[in-house]
Amino acid sequence: MLTYSFTGITDNLYEHLYKCIRDDVLSGSLPADYKLPSKRSFAKNLSVSTITVENAYNQLMSEGFIYSLPRKGFYVSEIFPGEYPAPETESSDKTTHTQLSSSSSDSDYGGTGHSTSYRVDFSSNNTSPDSFPFTTWAKLTRRILSDSRDKLMTNSPSNGTIELRLAIAEYLKEFRGIYTSPDNIIVGAGTEYLYTILLQLLGGGMTYAIEKPGYRKLSMILDTVGIKSVDIPVDDKGLNVDILRRSNADIVHVTPSHHFPTGITMPVKRRYELLKWAQEADTPRYIIEDDYDSEFRLTGRPIPPLFGMDSSHVIYMNTFTKSLTSTIRISYMVLPDELVARYRDRLSFYSCTVSNFEQLTLAAFISEGYFEKHINRMRTAYRRKRDCILDAIKKSPLDSISEIKEENAGLHFIINLKTGLSDEEVTSRLRKVNINLLPLSYYGSETTHSFLINYSSVPMDDINNIIESISEELNSDS
Amino acid sequence: MLTYSFTGITDNLYEHLYKCIRDDVLSGSLPADYKLPSKRSFAKNLSVSTITVENAYNQLMSEGFIYSLPRKGFYVSEIFPGEYPAPETESSDKTTHTQLSSSSSDSDYGGTGHSTSYRVDFSSNNTSPDSFPFTTWAKLTRRILSDSRDKLMTNSPSNGTIELRLAIAEYLKEFRGIYTSPDNIIVGAGTEYLYTILLQLLGGGMTYAIEKPGYRKLSMILDTVGIKSVDIPVDDKGLNVDILRRSNADIVHVTPSHHFPTGITMPVKRRYELLKWAQEADTPRYIIEDDYDSEFRLTGRPIPPLFGMDSSHVIYMNTFTKSLTSTIRISYMVLPDELVARYRDRLSFYSCTVSNFEQLTLAAFISEGYFEKHINRMRTAYRRKRDCILDAIKKSPLDSISEIKEENAGLHFIINLKTGLSDEEVTSRLRKVNINLLPLSYYGSETTHSFLINYSSVPMDDINNIIESISEELNSDS
């Protein structure tokens, strides 16, 4: 039977086992469709508990390294892309309409848009005041205002203070398995701002591919600055790489850890297909990996980023607007070396858009371990919030007409509603009672009756009443 | 011989010829000191009359694109600044518009660039740690972190929190005679960021006119995003409106309160001429009024802004990076009503780039009167600093070879040096002793031997030694 040594390990047991199997799948030692031992016999053989094997298998499944067949067991997935059919010219246009980008400006995606006065806004990622670490933040701010005056008064380099970039590099190494120099990191006032910088860096002549459904803001930005984009459909494994290949895109934006808004985690096979797309062309191609809420995977290990698999074709982006609060505008990107050089040449005349005061406070917050603690506490709080909402739904009449789709990741899940009402009717009925619930179709999906529940700002003490209201509105006659 | 096609033109002949030559000068196809054909032979070659060529040459001369030498003929002027000791780039396009932006990354204009390690940097506006109101800022920060948690956690509208916009509107009324609604104010992370927003708001099809010499960063931004711009010479009254009128510009950027870098204050007659230019066209024209250091007029009343004279053609911009510290990234602009509506329609999906924490702290700082007190204190301190530098110069051997030009405004003045050294030699000699002194020609001026002294970050206790060093370097033999 398959066996691994557990001597001298520093990870916990399940993580170790997960890594052993993952590495063997990646190296090809475990071929596609290889049947893994049953959990029980494997546990016995390795002298670990069944739970350990179960956790490792679950993690591997969620990342797409293995799959299960009911009553049969666990098998190794086919990971590496085979040969692809030559590009077809017909039918590819079907997917390239720019419908999304020209649509409305009532931009509630990710809650970074307007402030609203809904009783509850399931599309918003506003943070509740209870969850921000005010005491620690105040303490660090006070200390920096008193001890770091020279640093506070010295202009930050264009890409951010060295203190913050060092802290981010260290964090990425510890928690995302990304080994990068602080030189490759660019700090800016929010992801949207970094996109506008990235568009200038990559040049206006490129064609951008965007997940559909996907991140509306990026379409809006591209549209505003007059850059061409094509929509690429997302299937149950994430962005469809065949269609991407048949498009003429040079750059693709993806959310592989937790697709927005459907919540899909891109399996490893698809990841390799995507990387192959970036590598196979003669002209430069880049993947923008938006890792916007990877910190909030609620169970298991975080999904490893694409950037760790190919740091010369992937631009990694992440933000503190999700993990800390959307009202602190600090995001960052990690550039491949070639783009770092280009940034230095062409764009380093731009001043950094984040004030030194917040850069230095955040740097201390991360490097002194507060950020990790905060994330852990938030993860627990969000898990509780999610469970509480799921529980409220289960106990309400809503339960009989709803189905939940969620992947233990990020700050939102999807609810499918069996109702005769159209998506628009659902949204407008609920807005009448000050509840904002947006359908996936709002984000460009062709799926109907699926709605996004972002629970980060939901007031928990009111959750039963809110679910009650939703249920009443959907069941009423008018 | 130089030749141009005259088929299918809509301009009159001389105008067409003028544009062809001008564009070639601007693009660098016709390099500095290139000898143009004689009027007669050129006319013959192009099959037009001699008068046509003469009119075109006259036009080009008056705009400074070409010059004539008696009995010799017509030559292309050197339009763009020469090379400065800076990282070398593809130097072949010495005369093209891209030179500026692709040249050095030592972008010291207005001090918003990189931090450097000069003993003294006369081109920087870094603030000295003594001048920032740390105690008050810390007090307000503490209060806001404890009392305004809900507000801190609620997403700011795209154009900034209402608290900050109200404070700015009130300040503008009191101190700049500008009556505006908070709705017309857009807050953003620095002036450069607001420019990128403004370019999106006004649209890429516009042609921008820029003061020459002038604000280098704006040229760099326009160049980076691929938007056309024309340089308009500045005479002793500011931007030359006649030349502006003869250009095809739709938008002009000016610094009427205190021209950067020459220090000129635009007289009112010129202001009216400029407004007339904006009002007289059938197509929309806008003036961007950059009021970047109006707070620091050291004597007399502040100069009334253009915005107060015509709020439908003027976009008013100002920043706290000068008045507070360059390391806090908060600037704002006031838009004409028409552009406010357009902003709301097209760009309000952007998140505000300034964090709530600093917006609310700054709002309190302004509305509780601290900002006014701070400005008054700074004005006194800067006046003392300036006088101290002027005094040090007067007492040094430098006095005999220098002439000071300053208008009691802003944080910099101009020193003319009577020396046999070229501007480049002066700059590079002083850089050897870690003093950064940049000539006006660095900013695009044709004047030589004039240097910018921004005194905001000069260490006063060392000023006599610094002036001594400058004097020694300029007088040494090597």
Side-chain angles (χ1 to χ4, degrees):
Chain A
M1 189 192 283
L2 188 63
T3 193
Y4 295 108
S5 158
F6 277 71
T7 51
I9 64 167
T10 52
D11 291 324
N12 68 43
L13 295 180
Y14 104 83
E15 228 169 77
H16 176 71
L17 180 58
Y18 152 81
K19 283 182 186 165
C20 291
I21 299 173
R22 182 198 61 186
D23 292 349
D24 280 353
V25 172
L26 285 173
S27 72
S29 315
L30 290 177
D33 303 321
Y34 174 91
K35 187 178 192 306
L36 291 163
S38 76
K39 288 184 251 180
R40 190 164 318 186
S41 61
F42 205 8
K44 207 171 151 195
N45 185 49
L46 297 173
S47 308
V48 298
S49 78
T50 317
I51 296 292
T52 300
V53 179
E54 184 168 328
N55 284 341
Y57 278 12
N58 283 345
Q59 182 75 23
L60 289 161
M61 276 217 288
S62 69
E63 295 183 18
F65 286 102
I66 67 173
Y67 62 96
S68 73
L69 292 177
R71 290 171 203 279
K72 291 207 158 167
F74 298 87
Y75 298 84
V76 171
S77 304
E78 196 203 335
I79 305 244
F80 295 97
E83 287 309 313
Y84 275 88
E88 293 165 28
T89 44
E90 50 118 35
S91 89
S92 64
D93 283 356
K94 216 171 192 173
T95 57
T96 59
H97 48 90
T98 51
Q99 178 215 331
L100 260 186
S101 51
S102 59
S103 66
S104 91
S105 65
D106 65 14
S107 53
D108 317 76
Y109 162 68
T112 42
H114 307 259
S115 45
T116 47
S117 53
Y118 294 113
R119 176 179 163 202
V120 56
D121 185 352
F122 286 112
S123 76
S124 156
N125 75 339
N126 263 7
T127 325
S128 82
D130 324 332
S131 59
F132 186 80
F134 279 106
T135 313
T136 308
W137 197 262
K139 184 180 78 181
L140 295 176
T141 302
R142 198 160 55 235
R143 193 183 73 202
I144 280 162
L145 277 167
S146 114
D147 299 351
S148 306
R149 297 188 171 187
D150 283 340
K151 277 184 194 165
L152 284 173
M153 293 295 115
T154 305
N155 286 332
S156 162
S158 174
N159 58 339
T161 63
I162 185 63
E163 288 82 2
L164 180 55
R165 286 181 292 118
L166 274 170
I168 290 172
E170 186 62 26
Y171 169 79
L172 286 173
K173 191 180 79 186
E174 287 283 317
F175 297 97
R176 296 303 279 136
I178 289 178
Y179 290 80
T180 183
S181 150
D183 293 348
N184 292 50
I185 297 174
I186 314 273
V187 171
T191 308
E192 294 162 33
Y193 171 74
L194 288 177
Y195 280 123
T196 65
I197 287 294
L198 204 47
L199 298 182
Q200 292 178 48
L201 186 65
L202 296 170
M206 300 292 208
T207 298
Y208 288 74
I210 297 181
E211 293 171 327
K212 177 176 160 64
Y215 182 39
R216 282 172 60 106
K217 282 254 177 107
L218 181 56
S219 311
M220 291 161 108
I221 295 171
L222 287 167
D223 207 49
T224 303
V225 300
I227 288 180
K228 272 177 301 186
S229 67
V230 293
D231 294 336
I232 306 291
V234 169
D235 61 29
D236 63 345
K237 296 189 173 53
L239 182 114
N240 186 318
V241 178
D242 290 343
I243 297 177
L244 173 65
R245 183 167 283 116
R246 278 181 259 129
S247 79
N248 56 349
D250 309 292
I251 318 282
V252 63
H253 175 266
V254 288
T255 48
S257 291
H258 187 219
H259 175 255
F260 186 87
T262 66
I264 293 163
T265 299
M266 188 185 279
V268 68
K269 182 178 178 199
R270 184 63 62 87
R271 288 168 187 247
Y272 278 108
E273 284 172 29
L274 188 59
L275 291 172
K276 186 159 180 280
W277 167 84
Q279 294 153 357
E280 73 195 1
D282 299 330
T283 52
R285 283 180 176 170
Y286 292 103
I287 299 164
I288 304 171
E289 176 179 30
D290 192 344
D291 207 30
Y292 67 102
D293 69 354
S294 62
E295 291 84 3
F296 293 115
R297 195 166 169 76
L298 299 184
T299 57
R301 287 169 41 82
I303 309 295
L306 282 173
F307 188 88
M309 299 160 82
D310 179 349
S311 61
S312 60
H313 290 91
V314 179
I315 295 154
Y316 177 88
M317 300 194 95
N318 207 336
T319 180
F320 295 99
T321 59
K322 290 268 177 181
S323 49
L324 214 43
T325 164
S326 56
T327 59
I328 284 193
R329 308 302 304 163
I330 312 183
S331 300
Y332 60 94
M333 57 184 173
V334 187
L335 297 178
D337 291 340
E338 203 190 318
L339 294 181
V340 172
R342 200 190 294 176
Y343 180 90
R344 205 173 286 144
D345 266 12
R346 301 188 197 166
L347 299 181
S348 61
F349 71 86
Y350 279 116
S351 306
C352 184
T353 41
V354 184
S355 95
N356 280 14
F357 293 65
E358 297 202 328
Q359 288 198 59
L360 294 176
T361 307
L362 179 57
F365 190 76
I366 298 171
S367 60
E368 295 172 27
Y370 297 111
F371 185 60
E372 189 190 348
K373 276 185 213 145
H374 173 68
I375 291 294
N376 288 336
R377 198 171 52 241
M378 294 297 282
R379 210 182 278 129
T380 308
Y382 282 134
R383 196 184 302 122
R384 202 174 302 134
K385 253 189 174 184
R386 180 201 58 180
D387 293 347
C388 183
I389 295 172
L390 292 177
D391 198 51
I393 293 172
K394 196 160 266 171
K395 285 190 297 202
S396 87
L398 205 59
D399 187 46
S400 60
I401 60 155
S402 66
E403 184 196 346
I404 306 294
K405 269 173 57 182
E406 62 112 18
E407 312 228 358
N408 279 314
L411 303 178
H412 68 267
F413 61 81
I414 304 295
I415 185 166
N416 294 331
L417 294 175
K418 282 165 232 142
T419 166
L421 301 172
S422 73
D423 285 4
E424 290 81 354
E425 280 169 330
V426 170
T427 298
S428 72
R429 278 197 184 193
L430 292 179
R431 280 190 177 171
K432 275 186 221 140
V433 292
N434 270 323
I435 294 172
N436 196 33
L437 184 71
L438 294 176
L440 286 193
S441 49
Y442 175 82
Y443 299 95
S445 174
E446 273 153 39
T447 312
T448 59
H449 296 99
S450 289
F451 295 82
L452 184 78
I453 306 267
N454 181 322
Y455 46 85
S456 65
S457 69
V458 172
M460 293 319 293
D461 43 2
D462 202 26
I463 193 66
N464 284 309
N465 295 330
I466 289 164
I467 298 294
E468 198 66 34
S469 296
I470 295 176
S471 185
E472 272 167 28
E473 286 304 318
L474 298 185
N475 288 317
S476 80
D477 287 335
S478 66
Chain B
M1 188 194 285
L2 188 64
T3 194
Y4 295 109
S5 160
F6 278 72
T7 51
I9 64 167
T10 52
D11 291 325
N12 68 43
L13 296 181
Y14 103 83
E15 226 169 78
H16 176 69
L17 180 58
Y18 151 80
K19 282 182 187 165
C20 291
I21 298 173
R22 183 203 58 189
D23 291 349
D24 281 352
V25 173
L26 284 173
S27 74
S29 314
L30 291 176
D33 304 319
Y34 175 90
K35 188 178 192 306
L36 292 162
S38 76
K39 288 184 249 179
R40 190 163 317 183
S41 62
F42 205 9
K44 205 171 154 195
N45 186 51
L46 297 172
S47 306
V48 298
S49 78
T50 318
I51 296 291
T52 299
V53 179
E54 185 169 328
N55 284 341
Y57 278 12
N58 285 344
Q59 179 79 18
L60 289 161
M61 276 217 288
S62 70
E63 294 185 20
F65 287 104
I66 66 173
Y67 63 96
S68 72
L69 290 178
R71 293 169 201 279
K72 290 207 160 167
F74 297 85
Y75 298 83
V76 171
S77 305
E78 200 202 331
I79 305 241
F80 299 99
E83 297 290 359
Y84 269 84
E88 71 291 345
T89 45
E90 302 91 326
S91 58
S92 62
D93 42 26
K94 211 172 187 173
T95 58
T96 70
H97 241 303
T98 56
Q99 184 216 332
L100 265 185
S101 54
S102 63
S103 68
S104 84
S105 59
D106 68 8
S107 52
D108 317 76
Y109 164 68
T112 42
H114 306 259
S115 44
T116 48
S117 53
Y118 295 113
R119 177 179 163 203
V120 56
D121 186 351
F122 287 111
S123 76
S124 156
N125 75 339
N126 263 9
T127 326
S128 83
D130 323 332
S131 59
F132 186 80
F134 279 106
T135 313
T136 309
W137 197 262
K139 182 181 80 181
L140 294 176
T141 302
R142 197 161 54 237
R143 193 183 77 203
I144 280 162
L145 277 166
S146 113
D147 299 351
S148 306
R149 298 190 168 186
D150 282 340
K151 277 184 194 165
L152 284 173
M153 293 295 116
T154 305
N155 287 331
S156 161
S158 175
N159 58 339
T161 62
I162 185 63
E163 288 83 1
L164 180 55
R165 286 181 292 115
L166 274 170
I168 290 171
E170 186 62 24
Y171 168 80
L172 286 174
K173 191 180 80 186
E174 287 283 317
F175 298 95
R176 297 300 281 137
I178 289 178
Y179 291 78
T180 183
S181 150
D183 292 348
N184 291 49
I185 296 174
I186 315 275
V187 171
T191 309
E192 295 163 34
Y193 172 73
L194 288 177
Y195 280 124
T196 66
I197 288 294
L198 204 47
L199 298 182
Q200 293 177 47
L201 186 64
L202 296 170
M206 300 293 206
T207 298
Y208 288 74
I210 297 180
E211 293 171 326
K212 174 177 160 62
Y215 181 37
R216 281 172 60 107
K217 282 256 177 104
L218 182 56
S219 311
M220 292 160 108
I221 295 171
L222 287 166
D223 208 51
T224 302
V225 300
I227 289 180
K228 272 177 300 185
S229 66
V230 293
D231 293 336
I232 306 291
V234 169
D235 60 30
D236 62 344
K237 296 188 174 53
L239 181 115
N240 186 318
V241 178
D242 291 342
I243 298 179
L244 173 66
R245 184 168 284 118
R246 278 181 259 128
S247 78
N248 55 351
D250 309 292
I251 318 283
V252 63
H253 175 266
V254 286
T255 48
S257 292
H258 187 219
H259 175 254
F260 186 88
T262 65
I264 294 163
T265 300
M266 187 184 278
V268 69
K269 183 178 177 209
R270 184 64 61 87
R271 288 170 187 246
Y272 279 109
E273 283 170 32
L274 189 59
L275 291 171
K276 187 160 179 280
W277 166 85
Q279 294 153 358
E280 73 195 2
D282 298 332
T283 53
R285 284 180 176 169
Y286 292 103
I287 299 164
I288 304 171
E289 176 179 31
D290 192 344
D291 207 28
Y292 67 102
D293 69 355
S294 61
E295 293 83 4
F296 294 115
R297 194 163 172 77
L298 300 184
T299 57
R301 287 170 45 80
I303 309 293
L306 283 173
F307 188 89
M309 300 160 80
D310 179 349
S311 61
S312 61
H313 289 92
V314 179
I315 295 155
Y316 177 88
M317 301 195 93
N318 207 335
T319 179
F320 295 99
T321 60
K322 292 266 177 184
S323 49
L324 214 43
T325 164
S326 56
T327 59
I328 285 193
R329 308 302 305 164
I330 312 182
S331 300
Y332 61 93
M333 55 185 175
V334 188
L335 298 178
D337 291 340
E338 202 191 318
L339 293 181
V340 172
R342 200 192 293 176
Y343 181 91
R344 204 173 285 143
D345 265 13
R346 300 189 198 165
L347 299 181
S348 61
F349 70 86
Y350 278 116
S351 306
C352 185
T353 41
V354 184
S355 94
N356 280 14
F357 294 66
E358 298 202 328
Q359 288 197 60
L360 294 176
T361 306
L362 179 58
F365 190 77
I366 299 171
S367 61
E368 294 172 27
Y370 296 111
F371 185 61
E372 189 190 350
K373 275 185 214 148
H374 173 69
I375 292 292
N376 288 337
R377 199 171 51 240
M378 294 297 284
R379 209 183 279 128
T380 308
Y382 283 135
R383 196 186 301 120
R384 203 175 301 137
K385 253 190 175 183
R386 180 201 58 178
D387 292 348
C388 183
I389 295 172
L390 293 177
D391 199 49
I393 293 173
K394 197 161 265 171
K395 284 191 296 198
S396 87
L398 205 60
D399 188 46
S400 61
I401 60 156
S402 65
E403 184 195 346
I404 305 296
K405 271 173 57 184
E406 63 110 20
E407 311 227 357
N408 280 314
L411 303 178
H412 68 266
F413 61 81
I414 304 297
I415 184 167
N416 293 332
L417 294 174
K418 283 166 230 142
T419 167
L421 301 171
S422 74
D423 286 5
E424 291 83 346
E425 281 168 331
V426 171
T427 297
S428 71
R429 278 197 185 192
L430 293 179
R431 279 192 178 172
K432 276 186 218 137
V433 293
N434 270 323
I435 293 171
N436 196 32
L437 183 72
L438 294 176
L440 286 193
S441 48
Y442 176 82
Y443 300 97
S445 174
E446 276 157 37
T447 311
T448 60
H449 296 97
S450 289
F451 295 82
L452 184 78
I453 305 266
N454 182 320
Y455 46 84
S456 66
S457 70
V458 172
M460 293 319 291
D461 43 3
D462 202 25
I463 192 66
N464 285 309
N465 295 329
I466 289 164
I467 298 294
E468 198 66 33
S469 297
I470 295 176
S471 186
E472 272 167 29
E473 286 304 317
L474 297 186
N475 289 317
S476 79
D477 288 335
S478 66

